[in-house]
Amino acid sequence: MGKRKDTEKIKKAKDRWTNEMLRPNLKLLPERLPSFTTVSNLSIDEPLYTPSDAADLDYLKDLGFPGEYPFTRGTYPSMYRGRIWTMREFAGYGTAEETNKRFKYLLKKGTTGLSVAFDLPTLMGYDSDHPRAKGEVGRCGVAIDSLSDMERLFKGIPLDKITTSMTINAPAAVIFAMYIAVAEKQGVSPSQIGGTIQNDILKEYIAQKEWIYPPAPSIRLITDTISYCVKNTPKWHPISISGYHIREAGATAVQELAFTLVDGLTYVDACIKAGLKIDEFAGRLSFFFNSHNDFFEEIAKFRAARRIWAREIKERYRPKDFHSMQMRFHIQTAGCSLTAQQPHNNIVRTAIQALAAVLGGTQSLHTNSMDETLSLPTERAVTIALRTQQIIAYESGVTNTIDPLGGAYFIEALTNKVEEEVYKYFKKIDELGGMVEAIQQGFPQREIARSAQWYQRAIEKKEKIVVGLNEFIEEEEPIETLRIGPEVEKRQIKAVKEIRKKRNRKKWEASLRKLRIAAEGKNNLMPYIIDAVKAYATVGEVSNTLKEVFGEYKEPAAF
C-alpha cells in the first residue's frame, strides 16, 4: 500500500514537472525529432522515466539476485568480480598454418579463448577441390578438409588448457569429431576439452542460409551431438543457439531474441523426444547474441533473454537442477553496423557495443575489428579490437559491481517492453505450429525482411543517422587490408588430394559404409563420424555420405 502511495505521489510530481518545467522549455527548445525510437523501432514513450514506469516490477519475482532464478541480474553470483568474461577474437583465413599463427598471435596479446572462422566451402560441406568451392577457398575463413588440416590448425596449442568456439552448423558434427580426434592425438581425453560448437541449423534456414540437409535429419544430428556430449564431454557446449546471424540479416532486437529463444525451445523438445532428461543437457546449452548500436536496448535485451529462458524452462520442463534454467551466452559486436566509409569510426561503435554486452552480463565476447566490413582483419586492427575489451575489463570500473544498471527505471521499463514484444512472437509461432513449420511457411524470413527494409529506408531518409554514411561525410585515406591470394586455394587443393592418396583406403571405405548404415538406422551418429574422420575421410565425403541418406534441403518460396 505504501509503495502504491509513493508511486502515485511521484506520478503527480512528474505531471507537475511536465506542465511547469518541460512544456515551457520545449516551446523554447523543441525536441529534435517528432518521435524517439530505438534502433529496432521500439518507441521511447517517455522523455523521463521514474519509479511509476516500473511500478509493477516485483523485485524478487522479476529481478532476484545474480545466480538465482530468474537470473535477470546475472548468470553467476559474483559475475565479473569473480571472473572476467572470456575474451575471444574470431580468427580464420587461408590455410590451417596461417590461422594457427594468428591464434598464437592472439594468445600472446591476451585472448583467453579461441574462436574459429571457417571458409564458405567448409561451412557448406564441400571440399576445397569441389567445383562449387572455386574462388572461395580460405577467403572468409580457414579451409578445413580433413583431420590433417585440423591437426595443423591446433599445432602447439594444448586443447586441455584453452577453450575453443567453432562457428559452423550443417557440418558441425564433422568438425567437432575432428576436434575430438586432435585432442586425443595430443593425449587429451574428450572429458577434458572445453568450448562450443555452434551447431544451430534452424537459424540457417531463417537467416544465414548455409544448410545441407532438411530440418528433421539436421535436428537429429544436433540431438546426437548433444547426447554424445552429455556422456563424453561434460565441459563442452554442444550447441550455441544463435541470434547473431538473425540480427545480421536485418532483424530487430525483439525478433533476434524471440526467434532465437523459440529455436532453443525447439531443440530442448527434440532432445527430450530423443530420450534425454532436461537436467542431463539443459545446463550445457549456450546462446550467441548480437550487440548492436542502441546501448540501452541491447542491455535490456540481454536481461530479458535470461529471464524469459529461465521462466520457460522452469514452467515447461520442471527441472530439479537450477543450472538447467541458467542462460549462458557469447556476444559478438554487430558486424552489420560497421561501415566501409570512415572505418576508424567502427572502433567507437565496437566499444559502445562491447560495453553494452558487458553491462548486459555476457560470459564471452568477440569485438569486431574496424576493417571487417572491407576484409578479414589485419593484426593491427584485431589488436585494437582486443584492447577494447581489455580496457573495458581493467580500466572502466564497470566490472567492480554486479548489474550496475539493475533497478534503473528506463532499463527495467525497456526490459519489460522487450519481453512483452517477444511473447507476441511466441504466440504467433505457436499458432503456426512451431518454429519448423513457421520456417517452412517463411514467417520469420518475411518478418526479418520487413525490418531490414524499414531500417534501410530510415537511413536513406536520415531518420536514423549513421555517422560517415548518411551524415558527416568526408573523404578518408584508404586503410591497410588483408588480402588472400589465389595461391591459398592451389595449396589447399594439393593438400586434400595428397591426403586421399596417403590414407588407408580400406579403413576409409569401411568407416563411410558404417556411417551410412547408421544414418539409415537410429544409432547415435557421432561415434561413426569420429571413426570416419580418424580414417581421414574429408568434410565433403562425410557430408555426401549423409546426403545420400538424408537428402538436401530446398528452401520454399517465402515471398
Side-chain angles (χ1 to χ4, degrees), residues 153-313:
L153 182 64
F154 291 102
K155 185 177 181 181
I157 299 173
L159 299 188
D160 57 340
K161 306 294 183 186
I162 195 77
T163 62
T164 304
S165 174
M166 295 187 285
T167 302
I168 195 161
N169 297 285
V174 187
I175 293 297
F176 181 42
M178 289 181 180
Y179 192 85
I180 291 168
V182 170
E184 289 179 344
K185 288 200 167 198
Q186 290 185 1
V188 177
S189 76
S191 64
Q192 294 175 284
I193 61 172
T196 309
I197 191 92
Q198 192 163 103
N199 206 17
D200 173 7
I201 201 63
L202 291 177
K203 69 94 173 55
E204 294 297 325
Y205 304 131
I206 294 170
Q208 190 163 254
K209 313 299 183 183
E210 291 167 358
W211 57 67
I212 300 175
Y213 322 109
S218 294
I219 291 175
R220 175 193 171 181
L221 279 168
I222 291 167
T223 57
D224 281 357
T225 307
I226 293 171
S227 181
Y228 175 87
C229 288
V230 165
K231 297 173 183 175
N232 298 281
T233 58
K235 297 180 181 180
W236 190 268
H237 296 282
I239 189 169
S240 178
I241 305 154
S242 175
Y244 184 84
H245 307 90
I246 293 172
R247 190 66 178 277
E248 291 288 292
T252 65
V254 167
Q255 290 168 344
E256 175 195 356
L257 187 51
F259 298 156
T260 304
L261 293 179
V262 177
D263 285 351
L265 294 169
T266 303
Y267 295 131
V268 172
D269 287 340
C271 287
I272 289 173
K273 188 177 179 181
L276 292 172
K277 295 178 181 179
I278 189 69
D279 288 327
E280 288 183 305
F281 69 91
R284 301 314 303 164
L285 303 180
S286 65
F287 288 80
F288 176 23
F289 292 117
N290 192 302
S291 189
H292 211 286
N293 280 338
D294 197 304
F295 186 69
F296 293 116
E297 181 177 57
E298 295 305 298
I299 295 168
K301 180 185 74 180
F302 301 136
R303 299 172 87 250
R306 283 192 294 271
R307 186 161 73 198
I308 296 170
W309 183 253
R311 182 190 299 119
E312 293 303 308
I313 294 296

Side-chain angles (χ1 to χ4, degrees), residues 18 38 55 71 108 112 145 165 187 193 222 368 420 444 451 539-540:
T18 300
T38 68
F71 306 101
K108 186 177 179 181
T112 52
D145 292 312
S165 174
I193 61 172
I222 291 167
N368 288 326
E420 180 183 343
S451 296
V539 170

Side-chain angles (χ1 to χ4, degrees), residues 75-90:
T75 302
Y76 300 115
S78 63
M79 289 303 289
Y80 308 132
R81 284 173 66 106
R83 179 184 175 186
I84 298 295
W85 63 90
T86 302
M87 297 185 188
R88 302 187 191 277
E89 289 300 323
F90 202 36

